[in-house]
Amino acid sequence: MTTASGKESGVRITVDQDICIGAGQCALTAPRVFTQDDDGFGTVLPGREDGAGDPLLREAARACPVGAIEVADG
């Protein structure tokens, strides 16, 4: 769902670690939501599993070259 300000709300983000190749596109696109772990794989920052209202959240998911990021509404 998108709020009146255009920010995402009511979403849940997951990164499939079995698919992630560590390209880093998520962290480059939405650094307020994603980072890379010690092994270089994409991960959601603690407390940001809801997207933190970042308007670039869905763009970051689309930027993943292997589709490892899921943004689920509700």
Side-chain angles (χ1 to χ4, degrees):
M1 174 172 33
T2 304
T3 65
S5 64
K7 295 182 178 180
E8 294 286 335
S9 67
V11 299
R12 188 86 178 152
I13 308 159
T14 56
V15 178
D16 187 334
Q17 297 298 312
D18 293 331
I19 302 173
C20 180
I21 60 170
Q25 295 304 306
C26 57
L28 288 171
T29 305
R32 292 180 357 155
V33 178
F34 298 98
T35 190
Q36 288 180 281
D37 65 16
D38 292 339
D39 295 320
F41 296 107
T43 187
V44 180
L45 288 165
R48 303 299 173 111
E49 294 85 359
D50 65 352
D54 194 318
L56 295 175
L57 171 62
R58 292 187 188 275
E59 182 60 32
R62 281 190 293 274
C64 179
V66 294
I69 300 170
E70 180 179 348
V71 180
D73 294 316

